[in-house]
Amino acid sequence: MKTHLTLSLALLLACTGIANAQATNHFANSTNRGTPDGIPPSEEAVCDGLTGAAHGLCTAYCEAMDCDSGSPQASQTACNKVGNKFEQITGGRPPCGCPCVGRVEGYIEALNGDFGLVSCAGFVAPPFIDFVALVTAEDPARQPGAQASGFLGNFCGFAGGGGDALMITDQEAQSCLALVRQKAAEAGLTCPTAP
C-alpha cells in the first residue's frame, strides 16, 4: 500500500507541477491522556480560525464531545445534532472529520497558517480527481493537502515530499478537502475548483 500511495502521489504531483513527492503511511500513536482521542481539548487546534457559533459548535463536537473518536463522550444523537448545526451555519462538516488532524503531526498547525500560507495549489478534474494543498512559506515542500481519486486513491497529509500522508476513505477525503479549502479561504487564498 505504501508503494501504491507513493506512486499515486508522484504521478499526481508530477501532473500538477509539484515535484519530489514522497509519502508514507503514518498512524501516530496517541497516548491516552484522559480523552478518547488522547488529546486534551486545551491542546487541540482543529477549531482555530473559526469564530462565533461555528467555533463553539466545533469545540463541542471535536474537542469536548470527541464525536470524531471511536469512543465519543456523547451519544450519536447529540453528535449528529451538533454536527448538523455546524453544517447549517458553515456549509461544511466539522473539521475533525479529517483523520490527518489528529494523526499527522503538524497538519492542522500548517493548515492554520503557523508556517505561513503562500498559495493553494491543486488539480480538479471531476469525477477522476480532486487534489488541493496549501503551500507554506516556511517550507514550500511541506504542503498540507488532501486528495480524492477513484484511481489514484484517497489521502490526506503532506504533499511535495514534506511529510507523512494517510490513506483514507472517500468520506474522510471529502472532509479533508473541505477543511483545506476552508483554511485557504480563511487565509484569503483561492483553491482550484472544478471547471
Side-chain angles (χ1 to χ4, degrees), residues 23-51:
T24 60
N25 277 331
H26 171 74
F27 296 90
N29 294 324
S30 63
T31 57
N32 190 348
R33 298 186 318 203
T35 63
D37 65 4
I39 305 169
S42 62
E43 294 180 18
E44 295 192 50
V46 68
C47 300
D48 289 1
L50 295 171
T51 60

Side-chain angles (χ1 to χ4, degrees), residues 60-81:
Y61 186 93
C62 297
E63 299 173 9
M65 296 164 55
D66 279 329
C67 291
D68 59 315
S69 77
S71 303
Q73 295 298 297
S75 68
Q76 188 61 51
T77 301
C79 287
N80 290 344
K81 284 183 180 182

Side-chain angles (χ1 to χ4, degrees), residues 1 24-31 36-39 44 46 68-70 95-109 142 154-158 163-169 172 176 179:
M1 185 178 294
T24 60
N25 277 331
H26 171 74
F27 296 90
N29 294 324
S30 63
T31 57
D37 65 4
I39 305 169
E44 295 192 50
V46 68
D68 59 315
S69 77
C96 55
C98 177
C100 278
V101 168
R103 294 177 23 200
V104 173
E105 186 176 340
Y107 184 75
I108 191 62
E109 290 80 7
R142 192 169 196 212
N154 303 318
F155 86 91
C156 65
F158 290 103
D164 295 324
L166 296 176
M167 296 296 292
I168 55 178
T169 68
E172 290 168 336
C176 294
L179 177 60

Side-chain angles (χ1 to χ4, degrees), residues 74-164:
S75 68
Q76 188 61 51
T77 301
C79 287
N80 290 344
K81 284 183 180 182
V82 173
N84 291 340
K85 187 65 174 174
F86 181 89
E87 188 169 6
Q88 185 181 46
I89 290 171
T90 66
R93 296 299 297 166
C96 55
C98 177
C100 278
V101 168
R103 294 177 23 200
V104 173
E105 186 176 340
Y107 184 75
I108 191 62
E109 290 80 7
L111 288 179
N112 284 335
D114 291 3
F115 311 115
L117 296 176
V118 177
S119 64
C120 185
F123 183 76
V124 181
F128 304 108
I129 192 165
D130 189 355
F131 167 78
V132 292
L134 298 178
V135 179
T136 62
E138 190 173 296
D139 183 357
R142 192 169 196 212
Q143 304 165 359
Q147 170 184 301
S149 170
F151 65 97
L152 293 175
N154 303 318
F155 86 91
C156 65
F158 290 103
D164 295 324

